[in-house]
Amino acid sequence: MTEKNFSIEQLAINTIRTLAIDAVQKANSGHPGMPLGCAPIVYLLYYKLMKHNPSNPNWINRDRFILSAGHGSMLLYSVLHLSGYDLSLDELKNFRQWNSKTPGHPEYGHTPGVETTTGPLGQGFATAIGMAVARDYLASIFNKDEFKLFDHYIYGICSDGDLMEGISHEAASFAGHHKLGKIIFFYDDNRITIEGKTDLTYSDDVQKRFEAYGWNVYRVEDVNNLSELENATNLARQNSDKPCLIITRTHIGYGSPNKQDTAAAHGAPLGVEEVKLTKKNLGWHYDEDFFIPAEVKKHFAGVKDCGKEAEELWNRQFEEFKKKYSSEAELFERIFNGNYGNEWENHLPEFSEAMATRAASGKVLNAIAPYLPTLIGGSADLAESNNTHLKEFKSFSSDNKSGRNLHFGVREHAMGAMLNGMALYGGLIPYGGTFLIFSDFLRPALRLSALMKLRTIFVFTHDSIGLGEDGPTHQPIEQLAALRAIPNVIVVRPADPNETTEAWHFAINHKGGPVLLVLTRQKVECFDRNSLASASELLKGAYILKDSSSEPDIILMASGSEVGLIMKASEKLEAEGIKTRVVSFPSWEIFEMQSEDYKRKVLPSEIKTRLAVEAGVKQGWEKYVGEKGDVICMNSFGASAPDKVLFEKFGFTVENVIKKAKEIINKKS
């Protein structure tokens, strides 16, 4: 199988391959098989077909490339280096090493040219679908007959593993139903997984599956036949009214005489001798590792110039756009600079009557949406329950890409990844809703959102046993603790409708990671803010809602609906002469952002008598109640019964709070 075609194209493709296997070998860690097999795809895209500018990886109308099979990261790093991105050869040599720009899996914001963090299979695929939603929505706002500000493609490579993971089914179904065009994914059909051949576990007819989703499907029988590959890609580009999958026959570890088409080529270096044999088999006549032939450098040199020219052409178009559509151009520039103005803040509602915090959330969302034109989102088929529907706006659909209500269907996992794609695209403030219990479905996407520090908002309703009769399968117990455990995630569980307003206030303004709004199904009372602290104190994470006239005998703290419970308990304790401080604690993470002086003011170290109340597991509250304090919490799953019965049976009553408070005080004595 020694290659005999030593054209410049073939030499360039083999340079991608050899850079990848050299980097994996030097690191003694990584995945050489995919770069060897898929090098022709990235060469075709980055050199011939993609519209991209290595000098400005953030140009808005660039074509995107998503390596969903992120384990093949050296495939991407090699072509980024050759194309002229700010990724030096030394960085390739430092693959998988501390502080390098070439981590084991691609990481957004870490490596120029990497569009999203991939690794967990299926995530990149679904994220790309979110990017397409963002592109099409923004195109509906800004594109004019004579100005196409958004007209780029989204390309990607997915593997057998990507297509086995359930998230790919969810995302592909959504994309096909909504006819999201100008998406072209290459399926790396190498027929090998870690455990062996795919026929051990996998006999799907991928073509029929994707055609059933509503995708255009094309086949390439030999990825190394560059003309066949290019013809199929151009055919997909010409028929871009629907998403496209190109099933591409590849060979994992291509060129390796002893490891091609075996699982051994997947997750380990080829070995020093096998690297030499592979290079020889590919017709590679250079002894030096990480060698780039001069003619390949010259060949790729034009990529940068073409990219600059493409962006300059777009910039000139935008200048003409500004002259004719000044207000739209101003909006364009503001949203992509993250400046949404502050008019929306003037429309944040105040509440005076009791309601579920999910209902308050819906009212806030609808009040501010007209003043935030790129606030867009929906629910995983629970809009009426989550109160995520924007009443003044239409639905996003195959016929109306200007709709701001996204119907994700019963696809929580894809919804999470799609929100990531929308946030990555820029300009949008995406949100998605489901029940708190179903946060488990989308946790992998949420974790990546946190890792990338994206501006996503999740609306999680039905936040405790308070949802009642649906029973323990739907009653979240450990979810709050599990979500709080993820770095860069802000969990906010507001206590009343006005705290809910402030929760949205925080979420819209926050940058640096996802914000999760955790909301009740059952009604909660509005606190009298004339006699109590302002709801705007939520912006500090925890605050003294009501204090005693002198040093308190005990601090009662809670989040969400349980704040109302401790308020009632405090009144009775005060009537008995027991001085209490009530702390509303909607967000641990925001509280930890505050100064040490403020945190000591709310929770003085000398006051060790503390009681926390939350209808979830205890985990994490120990930090705030200390060794002398206690927590009224859930120590088991819930049950099926009306909410009031459940709160009583599980100890969330005024009487039990008083009892526990007295026990803590008496222990001190």
Side-chain angles (χ1 to χ4, degrees), residues 261-327:
D261 295 327
T262 71
H266 173 74
L270 295 177
V272 174
E273 290 305 314
E274 190 70 12
V275 167
K276 291 178 182 178
L277 291 173
T278 301
K279 289 180 178 180
K280 181 179 178 181
N281 218 23
L282 292 171
W284 188 258
H285 302 300
Y286 308 99
D287 294 329
E288 181 184 345
D289 290 342
F290 295 97
F291 185 76
I292 303 172
E295 55 267 51
V296 172
K297 291 181 182 179
K298 183 178 178 181
H299 184 62
F300 272 100
V303 172
K304 227 173 181 179
D305 293 335
C306 289
K308 287 179 181 178
E309 184 179 337
E311 183 174 359
E312 286 169 3
L313 182 64
W314 185 90
N315 288 338
R316 289 196 294 271
Q317 180 189 191
F318 187 67
E319 288 304 312
E320 292 300 314
F321 179 85
K322 286 170 73 172
K323 293 175 185 176
K324 192 167 183 180
Y325 302 101
S326 58
S327 60

Side-chain angles (χ1 to χ4, degrees), residues 126-201:
T127 299
I129 306 306
M131 290 179 178
V133 170
R135 178 200 60 202
D136 289 358
Y137 174 70
L138 289 166
S140 75
I141 297 176
F142 295 108
N143 280 8
K144 310 294 180 184
D145 290 340
E146 70 275 38
F147 297 108
K148 302 300 181 187
L149 300 184
F150 299 92
D151 67 346
H152 63 85
Y153 287 85
I154 297 169
Y155 297 97
I157 295 177
C158 58
S159 64
D160 295 309
D162 288 292
L163 297 191
M164 289 186 198
E165 291 287 358
I167 188 173
S168 72
H169 298 253
E170 295 181 21
S173 177
F174 181 97
H177 178 77
H178 289 84
K179 296 182 180 177
L180 296 175
K182 291 192 171 183
I183 301 174
I184 300 173
F185 260 91
F186 296 85
Y187 166 35
D188 174 21
D189 183 20
N190 62 39
R191 304 178 189 177
I192 295 292
T193 60
I194 292 174
E195 293 185 358
K197 293 184 178 180
T198 53
D199 60 15
L200 284 169
T201 61

Side-chain angles (χ1 to χ4, degrees), residues 464-477 521 634 636-647 649-650:
S464 72
I465 58 173
L467 72 88
E469 292 87 346
D470 277 349
T473 59
H474 282 56
Q475 293 166 2
I477 301 302
R521 174 181 183 256
M634 292 296 297
S636 68
F637 291 109
S640 179
D643 60 308
K644 292 181 180 178
V645 173
L646 292 172
F647 280 126
K649 296 296 184 182
F650 286 103

Side-chain angles (χ1 to χ4, degrees), residues 235-423:
L235 191 59
R237 284 158 58 97
Q238 292 161 17
N239 296 282
S240 59
D241 57 319
K242 298 191 288 185
C244 297
L245 183 74
I246 301 177
I247 300 174
T248 313
R249 182 70 175 104
T250 62
H251 295 275
I252 192 170
Y254 180 78
S256 171
N258 298 301
K259 295 188 177 182
Q260 178 178 315
D261 295 327
T262 71
H266 173 74
L270 295 177
V272 174
E273 290 305 314
E274 190 70 12
V275 167
K276 291 178 182 178
L277 291 173
T278 301
K279 289 180 178 180
K280 181 179 178 181
N281 218 23
L282 292 171
W284 188 258
H285 302 300
Y286 308 99
D287 294 329
E288 181 184 345
D289 290 342
F290 295 97
F291 185 76
I292 303 172
E295 55 267 51
V296 172
K297 291 181 182 179
K298 183 178 178 181
H299 184 62
F300 272 100
V303 172
K304 227 173 181 179
D305 293 335
C306 289
K308 287 179 181 178
E309 184 179 337
E311 183 174 359
E312 286 169 3
L313 182 64
W314 185 90
N315 288 338
R316 289 196 294 271
Q317 180 189 191
F318 187 67
E319 288 304 312
E320 292 300 314
F321 179 85
K322 286 170 73 172
K323 293 175 185 176
K324 192 167 183 180
Y325 302 101
S326 58
S327 60
E328 286 98 327
E330 181 187 358
L331 175 63
F332 181 100
E333 291 177 329
R334 283 199 298 107
I335 65 171
F336 279 100
N337 288 325
N339 175 15
Y340 298 93
N342 57 12
E343 178 59 26
W344 65 275
E345 293 178 298
N346 297 327
H347 299 271
L348 289 166
E350 292 186 14
F351 298 101
S352 58
E353 58 186 63
M355 66 182 74
T357 53
R358 63 167 176 159
S361 171
K363 292 179 184 296
V364 176
L365 191 54
N366 275 277
I368 63 177
Y371 308 97
L372 290 168
T374 55
L375 179 64
I376 177 174
S379 169
D381 197 48
L382 290 167
E384 290 186 6
S385 293
N386 299 148
N387 288 264
T388 49
H389 188 74
L390 302 180
K391 297 175 183 177
E392 293 184 24
F393 301 94
K394 295 182 179 180
S395 296
F396 183 95
S397 69
S398 59
D399 298 321
N400 180 22
K401 299 296 174 61
S402 65
R404 290 173 62 181
N405 287 296
L406 291 170
H407 301 281
F408 291 102
V410 188
R411 303 184 183 104
E412 289 89 353
H413 198 172
M415 176 179 74
M418 287 172 63
L419 293 183
N420 291 347
M422 294 162 69

